[in-house]
Amino acid sequence: MSRMLINGILRDKPVTADGQFQRMPSAFRSWIEASPGAAFPAVSGRYHLYLSKACPWCHSVDLMLTFKGLRDAVSITWMDPVMSEDGWVIDQPGFEETAGVPRDRYLYEVYQRAAPDFTGPITVPLLLDKQSGRIVSTESASILQMLNTAFAGAGATGPDLYPGALSDEISRLTAMIHAPVCNGVYRAGFATAQPAYDEAVTRLFAALDEIEAVLEQRRYLAGEEITGIDLKLFATLVRFDPVYVTHFKTDRKRIADYAALSRYLCDIGGLPGVRETIDLPHIRAHYFQSHRHINPAGIISIGPDSPFAEMPAPQGAA
């Protein structure tokens, strides 16, 4: 049984009657802005991220930090690979003392301190304002957008990964991948009824076939230049064959069975700084040992060959 906060108290999350996994919406959706008069102004060193090397939503944020050159501008606390019954556990050996960031044991403690009456899921990524102690956002898509634009005058480098000229196409592609693929793997894996699983996995592979057709014509999803939507898809694809095929029963095909998707995965994986964001042993330990309702013994499967399997653990990872 997964846990959530209800009026600031840790409780069991209700189970849906139809067996479908439903991701609860993010409650914190404030915005960092370049204006000095903003509630959350773009200031290097002011903000802190709680991230997991296992989580694909966090991985896309980590990639954005890499592409925008913001690793020194935003501090990070990492999660242990294996979750507890009370949710995400903070990596204690890897914890780096940072002003405005107490040493908690569990992520839910961060929520309780920042929003004592909060009701909702205990999720990463979490973007914290160290100055006020308030949570800025827990919505990965918003965090990606903020990191892409808000810090232009506060140390950010690299290209605009959400160019205005491609906004309509990026929105179309987001609809193509977000619900059926990025969230779809979880809807398949966490389904507790056959119809719910069948619906999720059918939509998943229909979307992958559609994306394969796009990538047969383009280097990246939106064209010849990488954009933010690629960061989201890449994070899911990295985990697909090593984890989701077995653990989430998404075994109709592997990414290795798709020529264009395989090329795309290796292409992005070869870009500067990308491989350093991938800790495959950490990822596999998280999924196979955290979800005991799927894998009661916590046995980690042997897994397939992967171009990322031999990567050393990135600095700061458990």
Side-chain angles (χ1 to χ4, degrees):
M1 175 73 73
S2 58
R3 307 276 267 169
M4 64 179 289
L5 288 169
I6 299 176
N7 295 323
I9 300 173
L10 201 63
R11 303 288 192 191
D12 289 341
K13 187 183 296 183
V15 178
T16 60
D18 60 3
Q20 292 193 29
F21 167 70
Q22 296 181 357
R23 189 175 298 279
M24 299 178 71
S26 300
F28 300 93
R29 293 172 177 264
S30 297
W31 205 266
I32 296 173
E33 298 176 297
S35 168
F40 296 108
V43 177
S44 180
R46 176 165 173 165
Y47 299 98
H48 188 79
L49 280 163
Y50 290 84
L51 299 177
S52 163
K53 288 287 180 183
C55 168
W57 316 98
C58 291
H59 192 181
S60 64
V61 171
D62 195 21
L63 287 166
M64 182 63 79
L65 292 174
T66 296
F67 279 91
K68 299 300 291 188
L70 290 172
R71 295 209 163 274
D72 294 331
V74 182
S75 53
I76 300 174
T77 289
W78 295 102
M79 302 297 108
D80 274 345
V82 182
M83 297 177 76
S84 74
E85 292 183 355
D86 293 330
W88 291 104
V89 180
I90 290 171
D91 172 21
Q92 298 298 312
F95 182 83
E96 296 185 6
E97 298 289 344
T98 303
V101 182
R103 181 190 284 269
D104 296 304
R105 175 59 178 162
Y106 298 100
L107 183 65
Y108 74 80
E109 297 175 83
V110 179
Y111 282 84
Q112 288 176 323
R113 183 171 51 252
D117 297 325
F118 171 64
T119 293
I122 306 157
T123 61
V124 285
L126 183 156
L127 179 62
L128 181 77
D129 175 17
K130 292 187 286 189
Q131 182 170 306
S132 67
R134 294 167 59 193
I135 296 173
V136 180
S137 181
T138 54
E139 172 53 55
S140 63
S142 297
I143 295 171
L144 288 173
Q145 293 273 6
M146 280 186 270
L147 295 176
N148 179 58
T149 59
F151 291 88
T157 59
D160 179 4
L161 293 181
Y162 289 95
L166 293 175
S167 60
D168 289 345
E169 181 64 359
I170 289 174
S171 294
R172 185 184 75 85
L173 292 162
T174 298
M176 184 189 298
I177 75 164
H178 177 77
V181 179
C182 300
N183 199 42
V185 291
Y186 288 90
R187 292 183 65 240
F190 290 158
T192 58
Q194 190 70 48
Y197 166 80
D198 291 344
E199 187 272 336
V201 81
T202 299
R203 286 190 64 196
L204 167 64
F205 283 98
L208 287 175
D209 290 344
E210 190 176 3
I211 295 165
E212 174 78 358
V214 170
L215 292 174
E216 287 173 347
Q217 306 299 320
R218 300 173 176 178
R219 180 179 180 184
Y220 300 116
L221 286 172
E224 292 305 303
E225 301 297 329
I226 196 167
T227 64
I229 192 64
D230 293 298
L231 307 188
K232 295 183 70 173
L233 180 61
F234 176 78
T236 293
L237 297 185
V238 165
R239 291 154 175 79
F240 201 96
D241 290 3
V243 174
Y244 301 151
V245 167
T246 300
H247 188 55
F248 282 171
K249 301 181 286 293
T250 60
D251 52 1
R252 173 175 286 176
K253 291 183 183 179
R254 304 165 302 158
I255 298 304
D257 298 324
Y258 291 93
L261 279 164
S262 295
R263 183 269 308 160
Y264 170 85
L265 183 63
C266 291
D267 185 342
I268 295 179
L271 296 176
V274 170
R275 287 197 174 213
E276 287 74 18
T277 69
I278 303 168
D279 185 347
L280 200 55
H282 182 114
I283 290 168
R284 285 171 49 76
H286 165 75
Y287 283 96
F288 287 103
Q289 295 188 323
S290 295
H291 304 152
R292 294 303 179 101
H293 59 299
I294 297 175
N295 186 27
I299 294 171
I300 302 175
S301 73
I302 192 169
D305 292 335
S306 167
F308 310 113
E310 301 303 320
M311 289 300 300
Q315 186 174 10

